[in-house]
Coordinates of all heavy atoms in Angstrom, one line a residue:
G285 N 120.9 109.6 88.2 CA 121.4 110.9 87.7 C 122.6 111.4 88.4 O 123.6 111.9 87.7
Q286 N 122.7 111.2 89.7 CA 123.9 111.6 90.4 C 125.1 110.7 90.1 O 126.2 111.2 90.0 CB 123.6 111.6 91.9 CG 124.7 112.1 92.8 CD 125.0 113.6 92.6 OE1 124.4 114.3 91.8 NE2 125.9 114.1 93.4
Y287 N 124.8 109.4 90.0 CA 125.9 108.5 89.7 C 126.6 108.9 88.4 O 127.8 108.9 88.3 CB 125.4 107.0 89.6 CG 126.5 106.0 89.2 CD1 127.2 105.4 90.3 CD2 126.8 105.7 87.9 CE1 128.3 104.6 90.0 CE2 127.8 104.8 87.6 CZ 128.6 104.3 88.7 OH 129.6 103.4 88.4
K288 N 125.8 109.2 87.3 CA 126.4 109.4 86.0 C 127.1 110.8 86.0 O 128.1 111.0 85.3 CB 125.4 109.3 84.9 CG 124.4 110.4 84.7 CD 123.4 110.0 83.6 CE 122.4 111.1 83.4 NZ 122.9 112.4 82.9
R289 N 126.7 111.7 86.9 CA 127.4 113.0 87.0 C 128.8 112.8 87.6 O 129.8 113.4 87.2 CB 126.7 114.0 87.9 CG 125.4 114.6 87.3 CD 124.8 115.6 88.2 NE 123.4 115.9 87.8 CZ 122.3 115.3 88.3 NH1 122.4 114.5 89.3 NH2 121.1 115.6 87.8
L290 N 128.8 111.8 88.6 CA 130.1 111.6 89.3 C 131.0 110.6 88.6 O 132.2 110.8 88.6 CB 129.8 111.0 90.7 CG 129.0 111.9 91.6 CD1 128.5 111.1 92.8 CD2 130.0 113.0 92.1
R291 N 130.5 109.7 87.8 CA 131.3 108.6 87.2 C 131.2 108.7 85.7 O 132.0 109.3 85.1 CB 130.9 107.2 87.7 CG 130.9 107.1 89.3 CD 132.3 107.0 89.8 NE 133.0 105.8 89.5 CZ 132.9 104.7 90.2 NH1 132.2 104.6 91.3 NH2 133.6 103.6 89.8
E292 N 130.2 108.0 85.2 CA 130.0 108.0 83.7 C 128.6 107.4 83.5 O 128.0 106.9 84.4 CB 131.1 107.1 83.0 CG 131.1 105.7 83.5 CD 132.3 104.9 82.9 OE1 133.2 105.5 82.4 OE2 132.2 103.7 83.1
Y293 N 128.2 107.5 82.3 CA 126.9 106.9 82.0 C 127.0 105.4 81.9 O 127.6 104.9 80.9 CB 126.3 107.4 80.6 CG 124.8 107.0 80.4 CD1 123.8 107.9 80.8 CD2 124.5 105.8 79.9 CE1 122.5 107.5 80.6 CE2 123.2 105.4 79.8 CZ 122.2 106.2 80.1 OH 120.9 105.8 80.0
D294 N 126.5 104.7 82.9 CA 126.6 103.2 82.9 C 125.3 102.7 83.2 O 124.9 102.7 84.4 CB 127.7 102.7 83.8 CG 128.1 101.3 83.5 OD1 127.2 100.5 83.1 OD2 129.3 101.0 83.6
M295 N 124.5 102.3 82.2 CA 123.1 102.0 82.5 C 122.9 100.8 83.4 O 121.9 100.6 84.0 CB 122.4 101.7 81.1 CG 122.9 100.5 80.3 SD 121.9 100.2 78.8 CE 122.5 101.5 77.8
G296 N 124.0 99.9 83.5 CA 123.8 98.7 84.3 C 124.2 98.9 85.8 O 124.2 97.9 86.5
V297 N 124.4 100.1 86.3 CA 124.8 100.2 87.7 C 123.6 100.2 88.7 O 123.8 99.9 89.8 CB 125.6 101.5 87.9 CG1 124.7 102.8 87.8 CG2 126.4 101.5 89.2
L298 N 122.4 100.4 88.2 CA 121.2 100.4 89.1 C 120.1 99.7 88.3 O 120.1 99.8 87.0 CB 120.7 101.7 89.4 CG 121.5 102.6 90.5 CD1 121.0 104.0 90.4 CD2 121.4 102.0 91.9
T299 N 119.3 98.9 88.9 CA 118.1 98.4 88.3 C 116.8 98.9 88.9 O 116.9 99.5 90.0 CB 118.1 96.8 88.3 OG1 118.1 96.4 89.7 CG2 119.3 96.3 87.6
G300 N 115.7 98.7 88.2 CA 114.5 99.4 88.6 C 114.4 100.8 88.1 O 113.6 101.6 88.6
K301 N 115.2 101.0 87.0 CA 115.2 102.3 86.4 C 113.9 102.6 85.6 O 113.3 101.6 85.1 CB 116.4 102.5 85.4 CG 117.7 102.3 86.1 CD 118.9 102.5 85.1 CE 118.9 101.4 84.0 NZ 119.2 100.1 84.6
P302 N 113.4 103.8 85.5 CA 112.3 104.2 84.7 C 112.6 103.7 83.2 O 113.7 103.6 82.8 CB 112.2 105.7 84.8 CG 112.7 106.0 86.1 CD 113.9 105.0 86.3
L303 N 111.5 103.4 82.5 CA 111.7 102.9 81.1 C 112.4 103.9 80.2 O 113.0 103.4 79.2 CB 110.3 102.6 80.5 CG 109.5 101.5 81.3 CD1 108.1 101.3 80.7 CD2 110.3 100.2 81.3
G304 N 112.3 105.2 80.5 CA 112.9 106.2 79.6 C 114.4 106.1 79.5 O 115.0 106.6 78.6
F305 N 115.1 105.5 80.5 CA 116.5 105.3 80.4 C 116.9 103.9 80.9 O 117.5 103.7 81.8 CB 117.3 106.4 81.2 CG 116.8 106.7 82.5 CD1 117.4 106.2 83.7 CD2 115.8 107.7 82.7 CE1 116.9 106.5 84.9 CE2 115.4 108.0 84.0 CZ 115.9 107.5 85.1
N306 N 116.4 103.0 80.0 CA 116.9 101.6 80.0 C 116.4 100.7 81.2 O 117.1 99.8 81.6 CB 118.4 101.5 79.9 CG 118.9 102.2 78.6 OD1 118.6 101.8 77.5 ND2 119.6 103.3 78.8
G307 N 115.3 101.1 81.8 CA 114.6 100.2 82.7 C 114.0 99.0 82.0 O 113.9 99.0 80.7
S308 N 113.5 98.0 82.7 CA 112.9 96.9 82.1 C 111.4 96.9 82.2 O 110.9 97.2 83.3 CB 113.5 95.6 82.7 OG 112.8 94.4 82.2
L309 N 110.7 96.6 81.1 CA 109.3 96.4 81.2 C 109.0 95.2 82.2 O 109.8 94.3 82.3 CB 108.7 96.0 79.9 CG 108.6 97.2 78.9 CD1 108.6 96.7 77.4 CD2 107.5 98.1 79.2
A310 N 107.9 95.3 83.0 CA 107.5 94.3 83.9 C 108.3 94.3 85.2 O 108.1 93.5 86.1 CB 107.5 92.9 83.3
R311 N 109.3 95.2 85.4 CA 110.1 95.2 86.6 C 109.2 95.6 87.8 O 109.3 95.1 88.9 CB 111.3 96.1 86.5 CG 112.1 96.3 87.8 CD 112.6 95.0 88.4 NE 113.1 95.0 89.7 CZ 112.4 94.8 90.8 NH1 111.1 94.6 90.8 NH2 113.0 94.9 92.0
T312 N 108.4 96.7 87.6 CA 107.5 97.1 88.6 C 106.6 96.0 89.1 O 106.3 95.9 90.3 CB 106.7 98.3 88.1 OG1 107.6 99.3 87.7 CG2 105.8 98.9 89.2
E313 N 106.1 95.2 88.2 CA 105.1 94.2 88.6 C 105.8 92.9 89.1 O 105.1 92.0 89.7 CB 104.3 93.8 87.3 CG 103.5 94.9 86.7 CD 104.2 95.7 85.7 OE1 105.5 95.7 85.7 OE2 103.6 96.3 84.8
A314 N 107.1 92.8 88.9 CA 107.8 91.5 89.0 C 107.6 90.8 90.3 O 107.4 89.6 90.4 CB 109.2 91.6 88.6
T315 N 107.8 91.5 91.5 CA 107.8 90.8 92.8 C 106.4 90.2 93.0 O 106.2 89.1 93.5 CB 108.3 91.7 93.9 OG1 109.5 92.3 93.5 CG2 108.4 90.9 95.2
G316 N 105.4 91.1 92.8 CA 104.0 90.7 93.1 C 103.6 89.6 92.1 O 103.0 88.6 92.5
Y317 N 103.9 89.7 90.8 CA 103.5 88.7 89.8 C 104.2 87.4 90.2 O 103.7 86.3 90.1 CB 103.9 89.1 88.4 CG 103.0 90.0 87.7 CD1 102.0 90.8 88.4 CD2 103.1 90.2 86.3 CE1 101.2 91.6 87.7 CE2 102.2 91.0 85.6 CZ 101.3 91.8 86.3 OH 100.4 92.6 85.6
G318 N 105.5 87.5 90.6 CA 106.3 86.3 90.9 C 105.8 85.5 92.0 O 105.7 84.3 92.0
A319 N 105.3 86.2 93.1 CA 104.7 85.5 94.2 C 103.5 84.7 93.8 O 103.3 83.6 94.2 CB 104.4 86.5 95.3
V320 N 102.7 85.3 92.9 CA 101.5 84.6 92.4 C 101.9 83.5 91.5 O 101.2 82.4 91.6 CB 100.6 85.7 91.7 CG1 99.4 84.9 91.0 CG2 100.0 86.7 92.7
Y321 N 102.9 83.7 90.7 CA 103.3 82.6 89.8 C 103.8 81.4 90.7 O 103.6 80.2 90.3 CB 104.4 83.0 88.9 CG 103.9 83.9 87.8 CD1 104.8 84.9 87.2 CD2 102.7 83.8 87.2 CE1 104.4 85.7 86.2 CE2 102.2 84.6 86.2 CZ 103.1 85.6 85.7 OH 102.7 86.4 84.7
F322 N 104.5 81.7 91.8 CA 105.0 80.6 92.6 C 103.8 79.8 93.1 O 103.8 78.5 93.1 CB 105.8 81.2 93.8 CG 106.3 80.2 94.8 CD1 107.6 79.7 94.6 CD2 105.6 79.6 95.8 CE1 108.2 78.8 95.5 CE2 106.1 78.7 96.7 CZ 107.4 78.3 96.5

Side-chain angles (χ1 to χ4, degrees):
Q286 185 68 356
Y287 180 88
K288 72 183 182 67
R289 287 184 197 99
L290 295 166
R291 304 288 291 272
E292 57 187 15
Y293 190 97
D294 199 322
M295 66 175 73
V297 74
L298 288 166
T299 58
K301 298 183 294 296
L303 297 176
F305 44 97
N306 302 295
S308 174
L309 287 160
R311 174 59 189 92
T312 303
E313 299 92 336
T315 309
Y317 278 18
V320 172
Y321 287 150
F322 183 93

